[in-house]
Amino acid sequence: MEMRTNMLLRGTEKTLSLESALAQRRAINVANDTSDIFAKNIATVSEEQLRAIHSIDGPSGLFRLFELAKTNGSGDFRHFFRLIAEDIDPGQHAAREILLQFLVAVSDMASQPQELRYDNARLPQGEDLDRFNSNVLYPSLSEIFYHPGCNPGYLVYGLGGPKILISHPYRGINGQIYNLYANSVDVVTSLTMRGYKGRFLFLDYLPGLNNEKDGVKAWVLLFSMMAAHSDVVFFIKEYDGGFSESQKMEITFAPDRVQKKIIEIPHSELVWAKKPEIGTVDFYFTGKPDSSKEAFEALEAEHATPLIGLYSRPGFPRNTLLRVDESGSFSSYPLDFPIYGVTQ
Protein backbone atom coordinates (compact mmCIF):
# COMPACT_ATOMS: atom_id res chain seq x y z
CA MET A 1 0.00 0.00 0.00
CA GLU A 2 1.45 3.34 -1.04
CA MET A 3 0.65 6.33 1.19
CA ARG A 4 1.23 9.97 0.41
CA THR A 5 3.24 11.97 2.93
CA ASN A 6 2.79 15.55 4.12
CA MET A 7 5.47 17.70 2.47
CA LEU A 8 5.16 20.42 5.11
CA LEU A 9 6.19 17.96 7.83
CA ARG A 10 9.46 17.12 6.17
CA GLY A 11 12.49 18.63 7.79
CA THR A 12 16.19 17.93 7.84
CA GLU A 13 16.33 14.27 8.83
CA LYS A 14 19.17 13.13 11.02
CA THR A 15 21.11 10.29 9.47
CA LEU A 16 23.74 7.67 10.24
CA SER A 17 25.85 6.18 7.49
CA LEU A 18 26.12 2.44 7.08
CA GLU A 19 29.90 2.67 7.50
CA SER A 20 29.57 4.46 10.83
CA ALA A 21 26.90 2.05 12.07
CA LEU A 22 29.04 -0.97 11.18
CA ALA A 23 32.12 0.60 12.79
CA GLN A 24 30.24 1.21 16.05
CA ARG A 25 28.87 -2.32 15.97
CA ARG A 26 32.36 -3.80 15.47
CA ALA A 27 33.84 -1.63 18.22
CA ILE A 28 31.21 -2.93 20.63
CA ASN A 29 32.02 -6.49 19.59
CA VAL A 30 35.76 -5.96 20.15
CA ALA A 31 35.29 -4.28 23.52
CA ASN A 32 32.92 -7.03 24.64
CA ASP A 33 31.49 -4.64 27.24
CA THR A 34 27.72 -4.79 27.48
CA SER A 35 27.41 -2.90 30.77
CA ASP A 36 26.32 0.16 28.77
CA ILE A 37 22.67 -0.17 27.73
CA PHE A 38 23.35 1.15 24.22
CA ALA A 39 26.18 -1.34 23.69
CA LYS A 40 24.05 -4.15 25.09
CA ASN A 41 21.22 -3.38 22.69
CA ILE A 42 23.31 -2.88 19.55
CA ALA A 43 25.27 -6.07 20.29
CA THR A 44 22.06 -7.98 19.59
CA VAL A 45 21.82 -6.53 16.06
CA SER A 46 23.87 -8.32 13.42
CA GLU A 47 25.82 -6.60 10.66
CA GLU A 48 23.52 -8.27 8.13
CA GLN A 49 20.52 -6.70 9.87
CA LEU A 50 22.18 -3.27 9.82
CA ARG A 51 22.74 -3.61 6.08
CA ALA A 52 19.14 -4.68 5.55
CA ILE A 53 17.80 -1.73 7.55
CA HIS A 54 20.00 0.62 5.54
CA SER A 55 18.71 -0.93 2.31
CA ILE A 56 15.04 -0.55 3.35
CA ASP A 57 14.92 2.62 5.48
CA GLY A 58 18.20 4.32 4.55
CA PRO A 59 20.59 6.34 6.74
CA SER A 60 17.67 7.93 8.62
CA GLY A 61 16.39 4.46 9.55
CA LEU A 62 19.82 3.54 10.94
CA PHE A 63 19.88 6.76 12.96
CA ARG A 64 16.47 5.97 14.48
CA LEU A 65 17.59 2.41 15.28
CA PHE A 66 20.60 3.71 17.21
CA GLU A 67 18.41 6.26 19.01
CA LEU A 68 16.05 3.42 19.93
CA ALA A 69 19.03 1.53 21.37
CA LYS A 70 20.18 4.58 23.37
CA THR A 71 16.83 5.58 24.86
CA ASN A 72 15.18 2.22 25.64
CA GLY A 73 16.12 -0.50 28.11
CA SER A 74 17.00 -3.97 26.87
CA GLY A 75 13.48 -5.33 27.41
CA ASP A 76 11.87 -2.44 25.54
CA PHE A 77 14.47 -2.62 22.78
CA ARG A 78 13.79 -6.33 22.24
CA HIS A 79 10.05 -5.65 22.08
CA PHE A 80 10.36 -3.02 19.33
CA PHE A 81 13.25 -4.61 17.44
CA ARG A 82 11.45 -7.94 17.14
CA LEU A 83 9.04 -6.50 14.55
CA ILE A 84 11.88 -4.73 12.76
CA ALA A 85 13.83 -7.99 12.57
CA GLU A 86 10.81 -9.84 11.22
CA ASP A 87 10.30 -7.21 8.55
CA ILE A 88 13.87 -7.53 7.24
CA ASP A 89 14.11 -11.31 7.61
CA PRO A 90 15.00 -12.91 4.23
CA GLY A 91 12.51 -15.71 4.90
CA GLN A 92 9.72 -13.16 5.26
CA HIS A 93 10.69 -11.53 1.97
CA ALA A 94 10.78 -14.93 0.25
CA ALA A 95 7.31 -15.75 1.56
CA ARG A 96 5.99 -12.38 0.41
CA GLU A 97 7.50 -12.88 -3.04
CA ILE A 98 5.71 -16.23 -3.39
CA LEU A 99 2.44 -14.63 -2.28
CA LEU A 100 2.94 -11.72 -4.70
CA GLN A 101 3.55 -14.11 -7.59
CA PHE A 102 0.32 -15.90 -6.73
CA LEU A 103 -1.62 -12.63 -6.57
CA VAL A 104 -0.17 -11.49 -9.88
CA ALA A 105 -1.33 -14.75 -11.41
CA VAL A 106 -4.93 -14.12 -10.35
CA SER A 107 -5.12 -10.34 -10.62
CA ASP A 108 -3.40 -7.73 -12.77
CA MET A 109 -3.92 -5.19 -9.97
CA ALA A 110 -1.60 -7.10 -7.67
CA SER A 111 1.39 -6.64 -9.96
CA GLN A 112 2.29 -3.31 -8.38
CA PRO A 113 1.63 -1.45 -5.12
CA GLN A 114 -1.76 0.21 -4.80
CA GLU A 115 -2.23 3.74 -3.51
CA LEU A 116 -4.39 3.80 -0.41
CA ARG A 117 -7.88 5.26 -0.66
CA TYR A 118 -9.01 7.30 2.31
CA ASP A 119 -12.23 7.72 4.31
CA ASN A 120 -12.15 11.42 5.23
CA ALA A 121 -15.76 11.90 4.08
CA ARG A 122 -16.88 9.33 6.69
CA LEU A 123 -14.70 10.84 9.45
CA PRO A 124 -15.33 14.62 9.46
CA GLN A 125 -13.73 16.86 12.05
CA GLY A 126 -15.96 18.64 14.55
CA GLU A 127 -16.53 22.37 14.91
CA ASP A 128 -14.67 22.51 18.25
CA LEU A 129 -11.37 21.80 16.49
CA ASP A 130 -11.47 25.32 15.02
CA ARG A 131 -10.61 26.67 18.49
CA PHE A 132 -7.17 25.03 18.42
CA ASN A 133 -3.96 25.41 16.42
CA SER A 134 -4.21 22.33 14.20
CA ASN A 135 -3.06 24.52 11.29
CA VAL A 136 0.37 25.20 12.86
CA LEU A 137 2.94 22.57 11.86
CA TYR A 138 6.35 21.91 13.41
CA PRO A 139 8.39 19.36 11.38
CA SER A 140 10.83 18.89 14.28
CA LEU A 141 7.93 18.12 16.65
CA SER A 142 6.60 15.58 14.16
CA GLU A 143 9.96 13.77 14.30
CA ILE A 144 9.95 13.90 18.10
CA PHE A 145 6.47 12.37 18.18
CA TYR A 146 7.64 9.54 15.94
CA HIS A 147 10.80 8.68 17.85
CA PRO A 148 10.79 4.86 17.87
CA GLY A 149 10.23 2.91 21.07
CA CYS A 150 8.70 3.75 24.41
CA ASN A 151 8.00 7.46 24.82
CA PRO A 152 6.24 9.35 27.65
CA GLY A 153 2.63 8.18 27.27
CA TYR A 154 2.88 6.52 23.87
CA LEU A 155 4.68 3.90 21.77
CA VAL A 156 6.11 4.04 18.24
CA TYR A 157 6.91 1.02 16.05
CA GLY A 158 9.00 1.11 12.89
CA LEU A 159 12.00 3.02 11.56
CA GLY A 160 10.84 4.58 8.30
CA GLY A 161 7.99 5.36 5.97
CA PRO A 162 4.79 7.36 6.51
CA LYS A 163 3.93 8.53 10.02
CA ILE A 164 0.75 6.70 11.01
CA LEU A 165 -1.25 7.56 14.14
CA ILE A 166 -3.40 4.68 15.40
CA SER A 167 -6.83 5.20 16.94
CA HIS A 168 -7.69 1.94 18.69
CA PRO A 169 -10.65 0.92 20.88
CA TYR A 170 -10.32 1.13 24.65
CA ARG A 171 -12.96 -1.52 25.28
CA GLY A 172 -12.92 -3.01 28.78
CA ILE A 173 -11.13 -0.04 30.31
CA ASN A 174 -12.42 0.66 33.80
CA GLY A 175 -9.25 1.35 35.75
CA GLN A 176 -5.84 2.88 35.23
CA ILE A 177 -3.69 0.19 33.61
CA TYR A 178 -3.94 -0.75 29.96
CA ASN A 179 -1.61 -3.38 28.50
CA LEU A 180 -0.61 -1.27 25.52
CA TYR A 181 2.49 -3.34 24.74
CA ALA A 182 0.62 -6.58 24.10
CA ASN A 183 -2.34 -4.93 22.39
CA SER A 184 -0.37 -2.63 20.09
CA VAL A 185 1.96 -5.33 18.79
CA ASP A 186 -1.08 -7.36 17.71
CA VAL A 187 -2.46 -4.39 15.78
CA VAL A 188 0.89 -3.69 14.09
CA THR A 189 1.14 -7.35 13.09
CA SER A 190 -2.36 -7.24 11.57
CA LEU A 191 -1.53 -4.03 9.69
CA THR A 192 1.81 -5.17 8.29
CA MET A 193 0.28 -8.44 7.10
CA ARG A 194 -2.21 -6.33 5.14
CA GLY A 195 0.58 -4.44 3.40
CA TYR A 196 0.77 -1.27 5.50
CA LYS A 197 4.33 -0.06 6.11
CA GLY A 198 5.43 2.92 8.16
CA ARG A 199 5.91 4.22 11.68
CA PHE A 200 2.94 3.41 13.93
CA LEU A 201 2.15 5.60 16.96
CA PHE A 202 -0.13 4.35 19.78
CA LEU A 203 -1.30 6.75 22.49
CA ASP A 204 -1.52 5.12 25.91
CA TYR A 205 -4.41 5.32 28.38
CA LEU A 206 -3.42 8.37 30.47
CA PRO A 207 -5.57 9.16 33.52
CA GLY A 208 -3.19 12.05 34.21
CA LEU A 209 -4.62 13.76 31.11
CA ASN A 210 -8.28 13.39 32.03
CA ASN A 211 -8.46 17.04 33.07
CA GLU A 212 -9.98 19.52 30.64
CA LYS A 213 -8.32 22.31 28.68
CA ASP A 214 -10.73 24.84 27.18
CA GLY A 215 -13.59 22.37 27.65
CA VAL A 216 -11.83 19.41 25.99
CA LYS A 217 -10.11 16.43 27.61
CA ALA A 218 -6.35 16.97 27.59
CA TRP A 219 -5.63 13.52 26.13
CA VAL A 220 -7.96 14.29 23.19
CA LEU A 221 -5.99 17.46 22.47
CA LEU A 222 -2.72 15.52 22.61
CA PHE A 223 -4.16 13.02 20.12
CA SER A 224 -5.35 15.89 17.93
CA MET A 225 -1.94 17.55 17.91
CA MET A 226 -0.33 14.22 17.04
CA ALA A 227 -2.85 13.77 14.21
CA ALA A 228 -1.97 17.19 12.81
CA HIS A 229 1.68 16.10 12.75
CA SER A 230 1.04 12.72 11.10
CA ASP A 231 0.78 11.66 7.47
CA VAL A 232 -2.31 9.54 8.09
CA VAL A 233 -4.58 8.43 10.95
CA PHE A 234 -5.84 4.83 11.04
CA PHE A 235 -9.10 4.20 12.90
CA ILE A 236 -9.19 0.53 13.89
CA LYS A 237 -12.57 -1.21 14.20
CA GLU A 238 -14.14 -4.64 13.91
CA TYR A 239 -16.05 -5.74 10.84
CA ASP A 240 -19.66 -4.51 11.25
CA GLY A 241 -18.69 -2.98 14.59
CA GLY A 242 -18.76 0.59 15.81
CA PHE A 243 -16.19 2.95 17.23
CA SER A 244 -15.58 3.21 20.96
CA GLU A 245 -16.49 6.42 22.82
CA SER A 246 -12.83 7.48 22.95
CA GLN A 247 -12.52 6.95 19.19
CA LYS A 248 -15.60 9.08 18.52
CA MET A 249 -13.85 11.96 20.30
CA GLU A 250 -10.64 11.30 18.38
CA ILE A 251 -12.53 11.40 15.07
CA THR A 252 -13.95 14.86 15.75
CA PHE A 253 -10.50 16.20 16.66
CA ALA A 254 -8.57 14.70 13.72
CA PRO A 255 -8.17 17.55 11.17
CA ASP A 256 -9.86 17.07 7.79
CA ARG A 257 -6.59 18.14 6.18
CA VAL A 258 -4.96 14.88 7.38
CA GLN A 259 -5.56 11.60 5.53
CA LYS A 260 -7.84 9.27 7.50
CA LYS A 261 -8.50 5.59 6.94
CA ILE A 262 -10.89 3.11 8.58
CA ILE A 263 -9.19 -0.27 8.99
CA GLU A 264 -11.66 -3.07 9.63
CA ILE A 265 -10.15 -6.16 11.25
CA PRO A 266 -11.92 -9.48 11.95
CA HIS A 267 -13.20 -10.06 15.47
CA SER A 268 -10.71 -12.88 16.00
CA GLU A 269 -7.84 -10.42 15.63
CA LEU A 270 -9.36 -7.90 18.05
CA VAL A 271 -10.02 -10.26 20.94
CA TRP A 272 -7.43 -8.32 22.93
CA ALA A 273 -9.63 -5.22 22.82
CA LYS A 274 -12.47 -7.07 24.54
CA LYS A 275 -10.40 -8.05 27.55
CA PRO A 276 -10.32 -5.88 30.67
CA GLU A 277 -7.01 -4.26 31.48
CA ILE A 278 -4.64 -5.67 34.11
CA GLY A 279 -6.45 -4.06 37.01
CA THR A 280 -6.72 -0.97 39.16
CA VAL A 281 -3.82 0.68 40.95
CA ASP A 282 -3.43 1.00 44.71
CA PHE A 283 0.25 2.01 44.72
CA TYR A 284 1.87 4.95 42.93
CA PHE A 285 5.57 5.62 42.42
CA THR A 286 6.98 9.02 41.45
CA GLY A 287 10.55 8.64 42.67
CA LYS A 288 9.85 11.32 45.26
CA PRO A 289 8.51 11.29 48.84
CA ASP A 290 5.09 12.32 47.54
CA SER A 291 3.83 9.24 45.69
CA SER A 292 0.13 9.98 45.92
CA LYS A 293 -2.29 9.37 43.09
CA GLU A 294 -2.44 13.12 42.41
CA ALA A 295 1.37 13.46 42.29
CA PHE A 296 1.66 10.44 40.00
CA GLU A 297 -0.90 11.81 37.54
CA ALA A 298 0.80 15.22 37.58
CA LEU A 299 4.11 13.53 36.72
CA GLU A 300 2.40 11.49 34.03
CA ALA A 301 0.99 14.63 32.40
CA GLU A 302 4.16 16.68 32.76
CA HIS A 303 5.51 15.94 29.26
CA ALA A 304 2.22 16.74 27.52
CA THR A 305 1.16 19.87 29.37
CA PRO A 306 3.44 22.33 27.46
CA LEU A 307 2.39 20.79 24.13
CA ILE A 308 -1.30 21.08 24.96
CA GLY A 309 -0.73 24.69 26.02
CA LEU A 310 0.95 25.39 22.68
CA TYR A 311 -1.92 23.73 20.82
CA SER A 312 -4.50 25.96 22.48
CA ARG A 313 -2.42 29.16 22.67
CA PRO A 314 -4.28 32.22 21.31
CA GLY A 315 -2.75 34.56 18.77
CA PHE A 316 -2.07 32.21 15.88
CA PRO A 317 -4.10 32.99 12.73
CA ARG A 318 -6.46 30.15 11.83
CA ASN A 319 -7.06 31.10 8.18
CA THR A 320 -3.72 29.81 6.87
CA LEU A 321 -1.31 26.91 7.24
CA LEU A 322 1.78 27.88 9.21
CA ARG A 323 5.01 25.89 9.12
CA VAL A 324 7.56 26.63 11.84
CA ASP A 325 11.10 25.41 11.22
CA GLU A 326 13.75 24.64 13.84
CA SER A 327 14.99 28.24 13.85
CA GLY A 328 11.49 29.52 14.64
CA SER A 329 10.93 31.01 11.19
CA PHE A 330 7.37 30.91 9.84
CA SER A 331 6.22 30.01 6.34
CA SER A 332 2.56 30.42 5.40
CA TYR A 333 0.44 28.52 2.89
CA PRO A 334 -3.24 28.63 1.90
CA LEU A 335 -5.49 26.18 3.75
CA ASP A 336 -6.10 24.27 0.53
CA PHE A 337 -2.38 23.90 -0.24
CA PRO A 338 -1.69 20.42 -1.74
CA ILE A 339 0.40 19.11 1.13
CA TYR A 340 0.37 15.50 -0.15
CA GLY A 341 2.48 15.86 -3.24
CA VAL A 342 4.23 12.52 -3.73
CA THR A 343 3.81 8.92 -2.68
CA GLN A 344 6.13 6.96 -0.42
Side-chain angles (χ1 to χ4, degrees):
M1 290 291 184
E2 289 186 336
M3 286 173 272
R4 294 180 181 269
T5 58
N6 185 338
M7 294 187 297
L8 297 187
L9 292 178
R10 297 178 189 171
T12 303
E13 286 191 330
K14 296 181 179 180
T15 61
L16 178 68
S17 69
L18 178 60
E19 293 75 15
S20 178
L22 292 173
Q24 292 185 57
R25 174 65 180 81
R26 290 163 184 164
I28 290 171
N29 191 47
V30 170
N32 196 29
D33 177 16
T34 56
S35 58
D36 177 72
I37 190 62
F38 169 72
K40 185 176 182 178
N41 288 335
I42 291 298
T44 65
V45 183
S46 69
E47 291 191 15
E48 291 74 17
Q49 288 173 322
L50 290 176
R51 290 190 176 92
I53 291 169
H54 180 266
S55 175
I56 295 172
D57 295 315
S60 59
L62 282 179
F63 176 83
R64 295 185 190 109
L65 174 69
F66 275 57
E67 288 298 297
L68 174 67
K70 292 175 183 177
T71 57
N72 284 259
S74 57
D76 290 337
F77 182 81
R78 285 194 301 271
H79 175 81
F80 292 101
F81 186 71
R82 179 168 66 86
L83 288 178
I84 297 169
E86 290 177 356
D87 186 55
I88 62 177
D89 177 61
Q92 293 278 359
H93 284 289
R96 289 172 186 163
E97 184 63 26
I98 292 172
L99 177 60
L100 179 59
Q101 290 174 3
F102 169 75
L103 292 174
V104 170
V106 299
S107 172
D108 291 337
M109 291 181 62
S111 61
Q112 53 186 311
Q114 301 297 306
E115 185 170 347
L116 191 61
R117 295 180 180 179
Y118 297 99
D119 299 308
N120 287 47
R122 299 169 60 188
L123 302 164
Q125 72 178 49
E127 293 181 359
D128 285 343
L129 182 60
D130 293 337
R131 298 189 285 115
F132 300 93
N133 298 318
S134 65
N135 61 311
V136 184
L137 304 179
Y138 305 83
S140 58
L141 179 60
S142 181
E143 279 300 309
I144 291 172
F145 280 149
Y146 281 88
H147 175 82
C150 182
N151 299 279
Y154 65 98
L155 308 177
V156 175
Y157 294 87
L159 298 176
K163 301 168 186 173
I164 305 169
L165 177 61
I166 303 295
S167 169
H168 56 111
Y170 285 103
R171 297 191 182 99
I173 296 301
N174 56 18
Q176 294 179 321
I177 298 179
Y178 184 70
N179 192 357
L180 184 63
Y181 265 49
N183 298 338
S184 59
V185 75
D186 287 344
V187 175
V188 173
T189 300
S190 293
L191 292 173
T192 54
M193 289 188 67
R194 285 166 170 78
Y196 300 108
K197 175 74 165 62
R199 285 180 274 173
F200 302 95
L201 189 159
F202 292 78
L203 187 63
D204 202 354
Y205 176 68
L206 296 171
L209 295 180
N210 275 334
N211 60 298
E212 291 192 352
K213 175 70 174 177
D214 296 333
V216 181
K217 293 289 187 181
W219 69 263
V220 177
L221 294 180
L222 179 60
F223 179 92
S224 182
M225 191 176 197
M226 288 176 166
H229 288 82
S230 300
D231 294 312
V232 59
V233 184
F234 282 177
F235 292 89
I236 309 297
K237 66 188 288 288
E238 289 180 319
Y239 284 133
D240 301 322
F243 291 111
S244 69
E245 291 304 312
S246 63
Q247 288 182 296
K248 291 176 183 177
M249 288 187 282
E250 290 168 347
I251 289 169
T252 60
F253 277 87
D256 284 341
R257 181 184 67 254
V258 180
Q259 299 169 144
K260 309 174 195 178
K261 180 66 177 176
I262 298 172
I263 307 291
E264 294 186 295
I265 296 178
H267 167 75
S268 58
E269 294 182 48
L270 282 184
V271 172
W272 54 266
K274 295 290 190 181
K275 297 177 181 178
E277 82 297 343
I278 297 172
T280 56
V281 176
D282 56 11
F283 174 76
Y284 301 89
F285 179 73
T286 63
K288 301 177 181 179
D290 182 5
S291 291
S292 64
K293 176 177 180 292
E294 291 73 20
F296 177 82
E297 292 186 353
L299 179 67
E300 184 181 59
E302 185 177 27
H303 73 283
T305 299
L307 296 175
I308 293 169
L310 182 65
Y311 199 55
S312 58
R313 180 182 298 172
F316 286 107
R318 303 273 166 75
N319 60 349
T320 185
L321 286 176
L322 295 177
R323 182 183 185 274
V324 187
D325 63 24
E326 292 185 1
S327 67
S329 299
F330 284 77
S331 301
S332 62
Y333 305 84
L335 289 177
D336 59 354
F337 181 78
I339 57 176
Y340 295 102
V342 297
T343 59
Q344 180 173 339

